[in-house]
Amino acid sequence: MANFFGGFIKRIEKPQDTHPPSVVQDFSQCENEYVTYCIEQEKTISKLESGLHTNDDPGEIAKKALAAACTFYEADWAGVIEIDLELNIWATGWWYNIDPTVKELEKLQEFENLMVMPSIVDAIKKQKPIIFSDVEEINKTSPKEYQVYKRLEVHSVMAVPFGPKPMGFLPLHKKAWTM
């Protein structure tokens, strides 16, 4: 019996490689900026979660999550854009602005045509984020999509997809992104 437990304990004491291959095991390779980002992200998510444990209202939960995203990314506003690929439309859902007097949503139609937004359709199908540091680069490949961004006074785009039901993006807005 002693041999059984002794062998078992030795196996436990033996260092185990529990990291998946994609995780950097030698943190000296990471830049301090990235490590700081990860720590701040964890703090933000923990703070958000602790503030939501007693709340069952989806609208209030969404607004708190969007406010946390604005704080973390130092964004002016964040929102939820829902997408329907069958009807080829997108519409805004919940929205949060750090300045409650600003009314960006007034520039949006109730439903927007998704067919003029090929980068959004492509990104949602591939579940990839959309990042354009300057929407001028879209003008060459998709002038109609560019016109939507100009009408909405969007100069840069950063949006993360979610889905599949519902499907959409969480966009963030900042006057000047540094990417």
Side-chain angles (χ1 to χ4, degrees):
M1 188 64 98
N3 287 340
F4 173 76
F5 285 115
F8 182 71
I9 290 171
K10 282 184 182 177
R11 278 184 281 180
I12 291 174
E13 291 173 353
K14 186 177 171 187
Q16 301 291 319
D17 184 17
T18 57
H19 298 288
S22 62
V23 174
V24 177
Q25 294 179 33
D26 180 11
F27 290 107
S28 64
Q29 296 176 10
C30 296
E31 295 180 26
N32 288 334
E33 184 177 313
Y34 180 72
V35 173
T36 301
Y37 168 84
C38 291
I39 291 168
E40 290 302 316
Q41 180 187 32
E42 181 61 33
K43 286 180 183 178
T44 301
I45 291 171
S46 295
K47 182 179 175 184
L48 175 64
E49 286 177 343
S50 68
L52 296 177
H53 285 298
T54 58
N55 198 332
D56 292 331
D57 178 19
E60 190 63 29
I61 291 169
K63 290 220 177 198
K64 287 183 178 183
L66 294 171
C70 282
T71 301
F72 182 75
Y73 290 105
E74 300 175 347
D76 302 318
W77 54 257
V80 173
I81 293 177
E82 293 186 57
I83 293 176
D84 188 324
L85 292 174
E86 290 178 16
L87 297 175
N88 290 315
I89 58 172
W90 61 274
T92 58
W94 290 296
W95 217 257
Y96 175 82
N97 192 313
I98 61 171
D99 180 355
T101 64
V102 175
K103 308 280 188 217
E104 280 103 0
L105 296 180
E106 293 174 358
K107 298 173 189 165
L108 292 169
Q109 299 170 14
E110 184 176 1
F111 297 102
E112 295 275 352
N113 182 359
L114 190 56
M115 295 306 293
V116 300
M117 309 290 282
S119 65
I120 289 180
V121 173
D122 185 53
I124 200 73
K125 286 180 178 178
K126 293 179 181 175
Q127 286 292 292
K128 301 281 185 184
I130 298 173
I131 301 171
F132 296 118
S133 57
D134 186 354
V135 294
E136 293 292 330
E137 62 191 74
I138 299 170
N139 194 17
K140 299 170 194 155
T141 58
S142 181
K144 289 181 181 180
E145 182 171 1
Y146 173 76
Q147 289 305 316
V148 172
Y149 291 130
K150 293 307 277 183
R151 176 174 53 86
L152 299 175
E153 297 179 22
V154 172
H155 305 288
S156 59
V157 178
M158 184 170 91
V160 181
F162 62 85
K165 295 184 181 186
M167 180 180 292
F169 282 95
L170 176 116
L172 297 161
H173 179 270
K174 187 175 181 176
K175 295 280 187 237
W177 289 105
T178 52
M179 295 185 208

